[in-house]
Amino acid sequence: MSAATEIPAAIPAPTGTEPPRRRKGGLNAEHGRWSVYLIGPTIVLLAIVIGYPVVSAVVQSFQLDQGLDKATGLFVEGGFAGLANYAHWLGQQCGSASCPPGSLGAQFWVSFGNTFFFTVVTVALETVIGVWMAIIMNRDFRGRALVRAAILVPWAIPTAVTAKLWYFIFDANGVLNHVIGHQVLWTSGEWSSKWAIIIADTWKTTPFMALLILAGLQLIPDEVYEAGKMDGASTLQRFMLITLPLLKPALMVAILFRVLDALRLYDLPAILTGGGGGSGNATTTLSILVVDQIRQGFNAASALSTITFITIFVVAFLFVRFLGANVVQTQAAQQKGELK
């Protein structure tokens, strides 16, 4: 005995009223305009401070330096050089008349090797020691804040002060030789000067690595370690199977920052060993070579600085492209496993 339900008719809108119209573009367009207003001044400032010098250096690298013509002995103005400046650095024949032994051109590949040697060794040592220091700082114990502050002190000291400090330590009559009981010429020997740079740089910048790695460790939940303990995993197994995989994103960022910084190494070897050591160029890096070349020819130095810039850019690209892709794949695999 149910009656048919009647659907009420639509209530007509009051006369004289219209639905509100949306602005053209909506909220996203408004946010886009504000982002341009806020980011625009920063982009312009970066273009003036960074973009213009980089472009200017690239343009000048294709120009000849002013100087004396070897054939006539007359002073000549610089002109378009093409790839001559780059060929001087990259395609040199050391020992010939165009690249005499001991010249700046003869030092390029030596400086190139020194730069990458310092980068590989120091970053490897700083990563291992930094992980160990970060694990210690991440533990809950009495006086943890004091330990963290003490560990970060070397990083807070200016590099010039650090270089002078280690200069007195590495002196022939300094503290280190008295401790080891052996006379070592740390700042003038070929390999001893290299290891002096490595020791000083590791002491200074390891706290920076430890700080970034500590930030990654604090993101790992304690429940993961508790689950590992319940499954019977040992301390080493928890470190290898839990800590390192979950720490990989922060670790890759820390390594990338240190690699880019080490490739630009200048002040520490320049002050500690005078950019020489051993045969005269045992601790010469690309940055030191650029500064030395500026005193002889600005355009040739621009070519060398461009080569250094491209080298650092390629290294950064390889880190982001390959190591970054692995991190993304790992996170995607973890999320896929959680969904299953």
Side-chain angles (χ1 to χ4, degrees), residues 147-188:
V147 172
R148 289 182 177 181
I151 288 177
L152 295 177
V153 166
W155 183 48
I157 299 177
T159 306
V161 179
T162 299
K164 279 299 182 183
L165 171 66
W166 282 98
Y167 179 82
F168 292 113
I169 295 176
F170 287 134
D171 188 75
N173 297 320
V175 177
L176 186 57
N177 284 342
H178 282 286
V179 171
I180 64 177
H182 187 68
Q183 194 79 5
V184 179
L185 301 178
W186 289 98
T187 59
S188 57

Side-chain angles (χ1 to χ4, degrees), residues 305-317:
S305 63
T306 302
I307 295 173
T308 305
F309 170 77
I310 294 175
T311 302
I312 296 175
F313 176 81
V314 170
V315 172
F317 175 79

Side-chain angles (χ1 to χ4, degrees), residues 130-150:
V131 171
W132 174 65
M133 294 170 64
I135 292 175
I136 293 177
M137 291 189 293
N138 193 44
R139 292 179 178 177
D140 189 9
F141 59 90
R142 190 178 224 177
R144 183 176 63 175
L146 182 61
V147 172
R148 289 182 177 181

Side-chain angles (χ1 to χ4, degrees), residues 85-109:
N85 290 329
Y86 292 94
H88 169 71
W89 297 112
L90 299 176
Q92 55 191 312
Q93 295 179 357
C94 295
S96 64
S98 61
C99 183
S103 66
L104 289 175
Q107 296 180 17
F108 172 73
W109 290 110

Side-chain angles (χ1 to χ4, degrees), residues 35-312:
S35 64
V36 172
Y37 297 151
L38 295 175
I39 300 176
T42 303
I43 295 177
V44 172
L45 181 61
L46 290 177
I48 296 174
V49 176
I50 298 178
Y52 174 75
V54 171
V55 174
S56 178
V58 173
V59 172
Q60 290 177 350
S61 67
F62 295 101
Q63 303 294 322
L64 288 173
D65 288 317
Q66 299 178 356
L68 295 177
D69 188 359
K70 296 181 180 179
T72 62
L74 300 177
F75 184 82
V76 294
E77 294 287 340
F80 182 71
L83 298 177
N85 290 329
Y86 292 94
H88 169 71
W89 297 112
L90 299 176
Q92 55 191 312
Q93 295 179 357
C94 295
S96 64
S98 61
C99 183
S103 66
L104 289 175
Q107 296 180 17
F108 172 73
W109 290 110
V110 176
S111 303
F112 190 88
N114 290 339
T115 301
F116 275 87
F117 174 75
F118 289 143
T119 300
V120 172
V121 176
T122 55
V123 173
L125 291 175
E126 290 162 9
T127 301
V128 175
I129 301 174
V131 171
W132 174 65
M133 294 170 64
I135 292 175
I136 293 177
M137 291 189 293
N138 193 44
R139 292 179 178 177
D140 189 9
F141 59 90
R142 190 178 224 177
R144 183 176 63 175
L146 182 61
V147 172
R148 289 182 177 181
I151 288 177
L152 295 177
V153 166
W155 183 48
I157 299 177
T159 306
V161 179
T162 299
K164 279 299 182 183
L165 171 66
W166 282 98
Y167 179 82
F168 292 113
I169 295 176
F170 287 134
D171 188 75
N173 297 320
V175 177
L176 186 57
N177 284 342
H178 282 286
V179 171
I180 64 177
H182 187 68
Q183 194 79 5
V184 179
L185 301 178
W186 289 98
T187 59
S188 57
E190 183 173 358
W191 280 100
S192 59
S193 60
K194 291 179 184 291
W195 285 106
I197 299 297
I198 291 172
I199 293 172
D201 188 66
T202 303
W203 178 82
K204 174 174 174 53
T205 53
T206 296
F208 172 77
M209 294 286 288
L211 185 64
L212 294 181
I213 296 171
L214 176 62
L217 285 176
Q218 292 181 337
L219 297 178
I220 303 176
D222 295 334
E223 292 79 6
V224 179
Y225 292 105
E226 294 296 333
K229 289 182 180 179
M230 294 180 63
D231 290 339
S234 63
T235 303
L236 180 60
Q237 289 175 333
R238 292 197 299 270
F239 176 76
M240 299 298 297
L241 301 177
I242 297 176
T243 303
L244 285 183
L246 296 179
L247 189 61
K248 186 177 180 180
L251 193 60
M252 290 301 103
V253 172
I255 293 175
L256 175 61
F257 284 173
R258 271 302 301 143
V259 166
L260 299 183
D261 191 32
L263 289 174
R264 298 179 290 106
L265 184 64
Y266 171 78
D267 40 7
L268 187 61
I271 298 174
L272 186 58
T273 64
S279 58
N281 53 8
T283 60
T284 302
T285 61
L286 288 175
S287 297
I288 293 176
L289 194 61
V290 170
V291 175
D292 291 340
Q293 177 59 46
I294 290 176
R295 301 186 181 99
Q296 298 191 16
F298 196 81
N299 293 332
S302 298
L304 181 57
S305 63
T306 302
I307 295 173
T308 305
F309 170 77
I310 294 175
T311 302
I312 296 175

Side-chain angles (χ1 to χ4, degrees), residues 9-21:
I11 301 176
T15 58
T17 61
E18 295 181 358
R21 295 181 179 179

